């Protein structure tokens, strides 16, 4: 991983200093062959710009754009991620583990080309999809968002995990192939065993390794919910924050609440109906465990009822993804301070 990232290394952002130049006036009718410093810098900039990847039109098309309203197959996912990796120096695809049935679980790092250690020291977030195999909207939104982020020049790094549960995706079912819910049995210490002694499943291990490897300062886990009696109008629901604040740092509770408020405002402004998630959030649920370990973490729940087709749910998730990234950018100092005190990944070494 580190060797690959180094091979794609790029420049760093620096403040532009003012340049004072005395411009020589050429003799009338005679073209001056000398270039001023400003002209040299300008031409060099144009040359560098010509060597950069063109905007998103040169990057591969997300599967959704090829067949709307249908989730990408695992084969399409593999091809798309491989092509995106090859097309942009801002993209690195890393296999972080395999499912119980041997399917690869991938992380896609998108941002300025850096080594893994430098990624840890910068503004980095993690976005997950497909934690539950039959919840597709977040996954499809992630494929498009990562392409748009790759086409831009934003300095933050986002680590995308589009399909955490590939076995469940093929069933399709929210659970793993062995019937265990991957969004449960987490430990706020980041240890390899949960408080009840049950070992992390392979899919959970993959997520754990990604967190240990890149130390995200903010996590978004995208989900969907079934069709209870109150989900008949396409309501996008949000993690209420921290249900049980015991052991959760106050700064983490505040940051989680702030990013949720920003995401909810963006969704409302886009015309989506929103509400607070009213399902149970167990102490050993994923986002709850990460928050207790000092990482601000939130989730979205788009509705799988008759009035909310996949296109609407994907649009909801894309809207909140954009707000999530904006919050990350605007609050980099706060997130860096919280990350310095986070305990979830303290004392553990990644194996990827």
């Amino acid at each position: 991983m580190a060797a690959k990232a180094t091979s794609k290394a790029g420049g760093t952002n620096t403040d532009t200093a003012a340049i004072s130049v005395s411009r020589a006036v050429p003799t009338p009718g005679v073209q001056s062959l000398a270039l001023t410093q400003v002209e040299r810098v300008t031409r060099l900039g144009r040359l560098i710009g010509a060597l950069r990847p063109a905007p998103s039109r040169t990057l591969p098309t997300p599967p959704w754009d090829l067949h709307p309203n249908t989730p990408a197959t695992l084969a399409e996912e593999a091809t798309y991620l491989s092509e995106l990796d090859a097309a942009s120096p801002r993209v690195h695809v890393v296999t972080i583990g395999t499912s119980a049935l041997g399917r690869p679980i991938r992380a896609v790092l998108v941002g300025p080309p850096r080594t893994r250690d430098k990624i840890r020291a910068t503004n980095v977030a993690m976005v997950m999809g497909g934690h539950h195999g039959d919840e597709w909207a977040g996954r499809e939104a992630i494929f498009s968002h990562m392409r748009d982020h790759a086409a831009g020049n934003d300095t933050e790094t986002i680590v995308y995990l589009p399909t955490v549960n590939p076995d469940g995706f093929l069933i399709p079912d929210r659970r793993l192939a062995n019937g265990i819910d991957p969004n449960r049995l987490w430990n706020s210490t980041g240890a390899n065993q949960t408080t009840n002694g049950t070992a992390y499943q392979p899919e959970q291990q993959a997520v754990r390794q990604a967190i240990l490897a890149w130390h995200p300062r903010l996590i978004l886990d995208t989900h969907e919910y079934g069709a209870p009696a109150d989900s008949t109008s396409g309501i996008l629901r949000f993690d209420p924050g921290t249900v049980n604040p015991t052991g959760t740092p106050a700064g983490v509770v505040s940051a989680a609440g702030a990013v949720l408020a920003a995401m909810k405002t963006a969704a409302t402004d886009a015309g989506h109906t929103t509400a607070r998630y009213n399902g149970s959030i167990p102490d050993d649920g994923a986002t709850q465990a990460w928050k207790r370990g000092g990482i601000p973490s939130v989730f979205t729940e788009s509705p799988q009822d008759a009035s909310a087709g996949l296109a609407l749910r994907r649009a909801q998730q894309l809207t909140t993804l954009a707000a999530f990234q904006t919050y990350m950018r605007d609050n980099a100092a706060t997130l860096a301070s919280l990350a310095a005190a986070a305990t979830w990944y303290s004392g553990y070494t990644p194996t990827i």
Side-chain angles (χ1 to χ4, degrees), residues 24-348:
V25 179
T27 302
V30 178
Q31 183 177 4
S32 173
L33 298 179
L35 295 177
T36 67
Q37 185 175 358
V38 169
E39 289 168 335
R40 286 196 298 271
V41 170
T42 299
R43 292 192 179 189
L44 179 60
R46 289 173 179 169
L47 175 62
I48 292 173
L51 295 176
R52 287 175 179 162
S56 58
R57 65 178 180 273
T58 66
L59 298 179
T61 301
W64 177 270
D65 292 350
L66 301 176
H67 48 73
N69 295 303
T70 305
T73 66
L74 294 181
E76 287 176 326
E77 173 182 339
T79 298
Y80 173 63
L81 298 185
S82 177
E83 291 176 348
L84 191 63
D85 191 350
S88 172
R90 287 173 54 86
V91 179
H92 292 283
V93 179
V94 182
T95 298
I96 56 175
T98 56
S99 69
L101 299 182
R103 297 185 174 93
I105 301 171
R106 303 176 183 89
V108 185
L109 283 64
V110 183
R114 300 184 177 107
T115 64
R116 185 172 70 189
D117 288 342
K118 287 184 178 179
I119 288 173
R120 285 182 182 172
T122 61
N123 196 18
V124 56
M126 184 171 289
V127 178
M128 301 183 201
H131 220 138
H132 291 143
D134 58 352
E135 299 173 5
W136 301 331
R139 174 177 180 261
E140 297 307 312
I142 283 173
F143 289 141
S144 293
H145 193 270
M146 68 171 63
R147 196 275 304 269
D148 293 343
H149 187 27
N153 57 6
D154 293 315
T155 57
E156 59 270 15
T157 296
I158 300 180
V159 180
Y160 301 92
L161 277 59
T163 311
V164 172
N165 179 10
D167 295 346
F169 173 78
L170 285 181
I171 295 175
D173 193 276
R174 66 179 280 122
R175 296 165 294 183
L176 304 175
N178 62 3
I180 291 178
D181 187 332
N183 198 29
R184 303 292 187 268
L185 305 177
W186 284 91
N187 189 311
S188 62
T189 67
N192 193 33
Q193 294 284 322
T194 63
T195 52
N196 66 5
T198 303
Y200 284 173
Q201 302 300 305
E203 293 81 358
Q204 292 175 292
Q205 285 281 12
V207 173
R208 175 177 176 267
Q209 286 298 314
I211 294 175
L212 294 178
W214 298 298
H215 292 189
R217 299 176 179 179
L218 189 64
I219 297 177
L220 170 61
D221 195 12
T222 63
H223 286 266
E224 301 200 80
Y225 65 98
D230 62 347
S231 70
T232 57
S233 58
I235 300 173
L236 173 64
R237 298 187 181 275
F238 292 90
D239 176 358
T242 301
V243 176
N244 182 357
T246 303
T248 304
V252 171
V253 176
S254 177
V259 69
L260 284 168
M263 293 164 67
K264 184 174 181 178
T265 296
T268 301
D269 289 348
H272 301 300
T273 304
T274 66
R276 171 176 170 152
Y277 180 70
N278 60 359
S280 62
I281 304 178
D283 286 344
D284 58 357
T287 54
Q288 186 75 347
W290 300 328
K291 279 183 284 196
R292 283 174 170 243
I295 309 172
S297 307
V298 297
F299 66 76
T300 51
E301 292 268 0
S302 47
Q304 293 179 316
D305 60 274
S307 66
L310 184 55
L312 170 62
R313 287 143 44 200
R314 174 180 173 274
Q316 291 175 331
Q317 298 282 0
L318 270 174
T319 297
T320 51
L321 257 172
F324 176 87
Q325 183 177 2
T326 298
Y327 176 89
M328 172 191 176
R329 181 185 310 129
D330 294 345
N331 296 274
T334 297
L335 295 175
S337 177
L338 293 173
T343 59
W344 198 88
Y345 38 65
S346 298
Y348 301 99

